[in-house]
Amino acid sequence: MDTPESTSRTVFRRVVLGAFACIAAVIVLLVGSVVLSATGSSSDPHGYGIFAGILFTAILMPVALALWLLYRSLRRRGK
């Protein structure tokens, strides 16, 4: 039978995984925006989309990595 501690750990692990999935989706959208801006497919005459996409992706990558490592450590600890 599940103890309250293992249930709360499972819920926390799923929340961390959900946060990681959301950030990964945002990173994919930002990279797509950068590619569209770089190829000229979007209406970005000054190229600010390229700089913003690269900057926000660089900020979100360590956050995604930290969430993934936290998820992996919670998963190992649960076994």
Side-chain angles (χ1 to χ4, degrees), residues 38-71:
T39 59
S41 297
S42 68
S43 61
D44 186 17
H46 300 291
Y48 294 136
I50 296 173
F51 297 118
I54 291 171
L55 178 67
F56 293 147
T57 301
I59 291 170
L60 288 176
M61 285 298 278
V63 175
L65 180 63
L67 285 172
W68 179 251
L69 293 175
L70 177 62
Y71 171 73

